[in-house]
Amino acid sequence: MSAEAADPGAPLRRRSRPRIDLRRLGRVALRGPVSRDRLPDAISHVAEAHRAHHPDADLTILRRAYVLAESSHRGQMRKSGEPYITHPLAVTLILAELGAETTTLTASLLHDTVEDTEVTLDQVKEQFGDEVCYLVDGVTKLEKVDYGAAAEPETFRKMLVATGNDVRVMSIKLADRLHNMRTLGVMRPEKQARIAKVTRDVLIPLAERLGVQALKTELEDLVFAILHPEEYEETRALIAAAKSPDALLETIAENVTHTLRDAGISAEVLIRPRHFVSVHRVRRKRGELRGTDFGRLLVLVGEDADCYAVLGELHTCFTPVISEFKDFIAAPKFNLYQSLHTAVVGPEGAVAEVLIRTHRMHKVAEAGVVALGNPYAQDPAAPPQTEPSDERADPTRPGWLSRLLDWQESATDPDTFWTTLRDDLAQDREITVFRTDGGTLGLPAGASCVDAAYAQYGDRAHTAIGARVNGRLATLSTVLSDGDTVQPLLAQDTASGPSPDWLDHARTPAARIAITGWFSDHPDEAKPDPETVGSASSGAQSEPSSEREAPGAAAPARGRSGPRPTGVVVDDPNAQVRLAGCCTPVPPDELTGFVVRGGAVTVHRRECPAVTAMQEIGRAPVAARWADGEGRESDAGCRVTLVAESFGRPRLLADLTEAIATADAAIVSATVEPPSEQRVRHTYTLRLPDAAGLPGLMRAMRDVAGVYDVSRAQHPAPAG
């Protein structure tokens, strides 16, 4: 086991580089600045690590940044007793080893100067330019305010806002937290636990999502040691007790090397030790650990095609464990990670996990967005911009981060922001679904059509009535899979609102915050209306709804519309009048109304089973009639629910919807029940420009081949 894996406090470094003594660097720093013609000794390790990734880098700006940082922090000490300059030096070294470019390292050296010294942003901008100033400003707390319990949420909110325009801000923040975690031993135990929990809940998931695995794994081990000291010591003892944990892996690695050499594939085969938390997870999953459980094989090749060539040779010459195969090259993870995962059986039945990737994939897997350099560097081959823009288009910013920035502006309450942030970061997998216009939506695994509607339409999704998934009607609660094509369907009635049930299906913060915000703005709609969602009275019997849902069918519109002209007159001229959704009366139906919560009157067809049900529970009817003697609604037209009974056949749904459209009727909602004995029931809620067109519409639907009956919606009365 390497020292890297055995000691979670070990810094990130190449195996050949000796451990850096920060106390010695502190003593060097105390000597003050050196002559302008050479690099200060204190940052020689940073320069060495930086040149390893960027051989042609200009180190002059690093020297100037160090001189300013050292002189500004001179006299300040960390709680560990070291000069404060050792902290920005250590943070910068972490980023240098990950391959960060010069601008990021310069900002890292200066990241605490504006907050903790007399250096101003204007000075930073004057001496180092706009880019460095922007990064320093992004990681600086703009004001020292005691937020109390909201301190951490507010700090990370600012970090996210700054990150919205430059992911390098978050990279510096992660490296800053890693060094603070390494030196956390000088803090009181209760403060160690608090910082470790915040790191576990927010920083580690952020590191995972940015793809910076090198930081994530060390943070995990440091948090593990603080929050679970007993399990940590047990894991340490297991690793120490395994005298030669790499022996079996070395044998398999040699066999793999010979196999690939014989196949003419140039590859580097390495043993990659697991870190503490990884070993602990494997132990919990499998119980007793095997020799090969302490590490994995890593095969590095030159080109993408070589990855699949290696996979073919391994699966041909070894016994593969098919259930362990995953292709993250064809379908990269949400954090830019690419690799082939497999497992093969070696000598004595030992199973070895194998990772196959190119050298560039490995660099991105370790350093994530840090390895991609400056995302805003001007491409010499690109045409110059004709107009300056204040917006930065960040090609490295993953979709999840864009969504995070969108909803954080809506979550004004720190507690809501904090809770939603942790819930969103807990989603460890992302799916991609396609829009019918060719665009894509990035959503967390488990997202539903509700999430897709809000991701595509924003607040307009309040009027969603269903969706088409892969061309088929589906309920809004339908869970989406990676690669699905989704088309949210919106009602024409823009006054509609969401249903409280949607919160049970929403997985994205954007959807949940939008739905919750709508109900906050409409407190009277916070609970479903008894008449519109099926309850005949408070806690009594239920009034059935004509818009029944079925698996794979479009969800009916559950939101309530605001008052609109109905063309109905009741005894109380000041009462709001609603047409019941269960029977959707249209002229010249005979009407009966009932007073519901809020004083509104819901009007039913007189033969509606709900009328009998309400009379049985003592609800007094209210006289209602169509206005102006002709029974016509206002210019908004009329709504009606029709049920079409048919035999199943291809294109039946398309032919029915075409017949409806030809009759100038608009589909408000539609459901299709699962076929039963080759028979299918379709339920449509339609809006017609005039009730006089209803008979013609029903005839047109009956003329569709396979349809044997079309009727107004009727439901049996609820059992007493």
Side-chain angles (χ1 to χ4, degrees):
M1 206 63 181
S2 71
E4 259 183 282
D7 184 0
L12 300 168
R13 62 188 186 280
R14 296 178 180 272
R15 293 179 183 271
S16 60
R17 184 173 296 137
R19 185 181 179 90
I20 294 172
D21 185 352
L22 289 177
R23 292 187 179 276
R24 185 185 65 79
L25 293 184
R27 290 193 296 270
V28 172
L30 287 175
R31 298 171 188 164
V34 298
S35 61
R36 301 178 62 88
D37 58 349
R38 70 183 183 90
L39 199 67
D41 291 339
I43 59 169
S44 59
H45 293 287
V46 172
E48 179 187 353
H50 187 39
R51 280 282 174 84
H53 293 278
H54 304 276
D56 299 328
D58 182 4
L59 302 180
T60 305
I61 190 172
L62 286 181
R63 187 193 70 80
R64 291 194 291 112
Y66 168 76
V67 169
L68 176 60
E70 189 280 327
S71 61
S72 302
H73 289 296
R74 189 177 300 168
Q76 296 178 352
M77 308 295 287
R78 305 193 77 217
K79 290 188 177 181
S80 60
E82 299 165 344
Y84 193 87
I85 188 61
T86 59
H87 172 65
L89 275 173
V91 172
T92 306
L93 179 61
I94 291 170
L95 293 169
E97 297 229 353
L98 289 174
E101 37 75 53
T102 308
T103 302
T104 303
L105 300 186
T106 304
S108 176
L109 282 169
L110 301 170
H111 78 271
D112 277 337
T113 54
V114 174
E115 178 184 358
D116 296 334
T117 74
E118 295 181 356
V119 174
T120 66
L121 281 173
D122 289 338
Q123 288 178 273
V124 173
K125 182 176 182 179
E126 180 182 353
Q127 296 187 38
F128 301 97
D130 292 340
E131 201 77 13
V132 173
C133 178
Y134 187 91
L135 297 180
V136 172
D137 187 30
V139 293
T140 297
K141 295 178 181 177
L142 300 180
E143 52 185 345
K144 295 184 178 180
V145 178
D146 183 9
Y147 293 101
E152 287 288 0
E154 287 298 332
T155 298
F156 289 111
R157 181 195 292 270
K158 292 176 182 177
M159 180 182 68
L160 289 172
V161 171
T163 302
N165 287 330
D166 203 319
V167 292
R168 293 174 293 176
V169 172
M170 192 176 291
S171 302
I172 297 173
K173 189 68 178 181
L174 286 171
D176 175 78
R177 177 53 65 100
L178 175 57
H179 183 246
N180 286 335
M181 287 293 296
R182 286 176 177 174
T183 57
L184 207 58
V186 298
M187 301 286 187
R188 300 188 308 275
E190 58 271 19
K191 189 168 185 179
Q192 290 186 36
R194 182 183 67 81
I195 295 175
K197 287 177 181 177
V198 172
T199 303
R200 177 196 63 192
D201 293 342
V202 178
L203 269 297
I204 288 175
L206 285 176
E208 166 74 15
R209 293 197 169 207
L210 289 174
V212 195
Q213 293 295 320
L215 299 187
K216 179 217 170 192
T217 53
E218 186 175 350
L219 284 171
E220 280 186 330
D221 283 350
L222 291 166
V223 168
F224 185 39
I226 293 171
L227 298 182
H228 305 282
E230 295 181 359
E231 294 177 344
Y232 173 81
E233 288 301 327
E234 290 178 4
T235 305
R236 177 190 286 275
L238 281 173
I239 295 174
K243 300 298 184 183
S244 301
D246 294 345
L248 281 174
L249 283 176
E250 288 175 354
T251 301
I252 299 175
E254 290 178 3
N255 294 339
V256 169
T257 301
H258 292 311
T259 298
L260 298 180
R261 184 183 301 124
D262 293 342
I265 301 174
S266 177
E268 184 179 2
V269 181
L270 305 172
I271 296 176
R272 186 174 178 81
R274 292 184 184 272
H275 64 293
F276 274 62
V277 171
S278 180
V279 172
H280 175 68
R281 288 171 180 161
V282 172
R283 183 192 177 200
R284 292 185 60 183
K285 177 181 178 182
R286 297 177 181 168
E288 185 176 352
L289 291 174
R290 302 168 299 190
T292 53
D293 288 335
F294 291 92
R296 293 182 289 188
L297 297 185
L298 174 63
V299 181
L300 298 177
V301 294
E303 303 293 337
D304 290 10
D306 294 336
C307 295
Y308 293 98
V310 170
L311 180 70
E313 290 298 323
L314 293 183
H315 283 195
T316 300
C317 301
F318 297 85
T319 302
V321 182
I322 301 301
S323 61
E324 296 293 327
F325 172 68
K326 297 181 182 67
D327 187 347
F328 294 116
I329 295 179
K333 286 188 177 183
F334 57 81
N335 59 3
L336 312 177
Y337 176 88
Q338 288 183 289
S339 186
L340 294 178
H341 289 203
T342 189
V344 297
V345 180
E348 302 177 7
V351 177
E353 296 183 31
V354 185
L355 310 178
I356 308 168
R357 59 180 70 141
T358 65
H359 290 279
R360 172 167 174 75
M361 290 177 189
H362 181 57
K363 182 178 180 181
V364 174
E366 290 293 287
V369 296
V370 178
L372 300 181
N374 183 357
Y376 312 105
Q378 185 67 35
D379 185 356
Q385 292 184 346
T386 56
E387 296 182 3
S389 173
D390 294 333
E391 295 293 328
R392 290 185 175 200
D394 187 348
T396 71
R397 190 169 87 184
W400 66 266
L401 184 55
S402 297
R403 295 195 305 273
L404 203 65
L405 293 160
D406 289 339
W407 63 256
Q408 69 86 24
E409 295 180 0
S410 304
T412 55
D413 176 58
D415 292 335
T416 301
F417 165 76
W418 188 242
T419 301
T420 313
L421 172 64
R422 290 189 300 180
D423 290 345
D424 185 70
L425 292 178
Q427 300 286 344
D428 60 354
R429 195 167 67 86
E430 184 172 272
I431 62 172
T432 299
V433 298
F434 296 92
R435 294 162 35 173
T436 52
D437 61 3
T440 60
L441 298 174
L443 299 171
S448 66
C449 292
V450 171
D451 299 299
Y454 281 96
Q456 183 169 351
Y457 294 112
D459 288 345
R460 289 176 56 202
H462 292 329
T463 64
I465 58 175
R468 285 190 176 92
V469 178
N470 301 325
R472 304 187 64 173
L473 291 173
T475 61
L476 287 170
S477 61
T478 300
V479 176
L480 299 170
S481 300
D482 199 30
D484 280 347
T485 298
V486 60
Q487 180 187 6
L489 305 176
L490 306 184
Q492 292 182 343
D493 186 357
T494 57
S496 297
S499 164
D501 296 342
W502 293 6
L503 289 172
D504 296 333
H505 312 302
R507 295 292 177 269
T508 59
R512 298 186 64 84
I513 289 174
I515 296 168
T516 304
W518 190 91
F519 284 113
S520 296
D521 295 337
H522 301 78
D524 293 339
E525 305 290 348
K527 294 182 179 180
D529 184 90
E531 291 292 325
T532 55
V533 297
S535 175
S537 65
S538 300
Q541 298 176 359
S542 296
E543 176 186 356
S545 168
S546 65
E547 298 173 333
R548 291 162 289 179
E549 293 185 21
R558 297 190 180 213
R560 275 77 58 202
S561 302
R564 66 179 182 87
T566 62
V568 175
V569 177
V570 297
D571 288 346
D572 184 355
N574 296 320
Q576 295 182 8
V577 179
R578 302 172 181 170
L579 297 180
C582 57
C583 58
T584 54
V586 297
D589 296 334
E590 295 184 354
L591 307 175
T592 295
F594 294 91
V595 178
V596 297
R597 178 174 58 85
V601 176
T602 298
V603 177
H604 297 259
R605 295 166 60 191
R606 187 168 295 177
E607 63 268 28
C608 177
V611 173
T612 302
M614 292 188 180
Q615 290 174 335
E616 289 178 352
I617 61 174
R619 301 288 288 276
V622 176
R625 67 184 185 279
W626 296 108
D628 68 27
E630 297 183 4
R632 294 185 181 275
E633 283 193 315
S634 68
D635 293 339
C638 66
R639 289 168 61 123
V640 63
T641 299
L642 300 179
V643 178
E645 304 281 356
S646 64
F647 297 104
R649 68 169 178 83
R651 289 192 52 81
L652 174 62
L653 182 60
D655 291 344
L656 268 172
T657 54
E658 182 179 356
I660 293 170
T662 303
D664 292 330
I667 299 177
V668 177
S669 68
T671 65
V672 181
E673 297 181 9
S676 176
E677 298 181 354
Q678 299 300 316
R679 298 184 181 185
V680 183
R681 177 191 293 263
H682 303 248
T683 303
Y684 297 94
T685 297
L686 309 172
R687 183 181 299 282
L688 284 74
D690 194 304
L694 178 58
L697 169 62
M698 296 177 69
R699 284 195 300 271
M701 294 175 66
R702 289 192 187 100
D703 289 340
V704 174
V707 177
Y708 58 85
D709 188 30
V710 175
S711 61
R712 298 281 296 280
Q714 292 286 346
H715 299 287

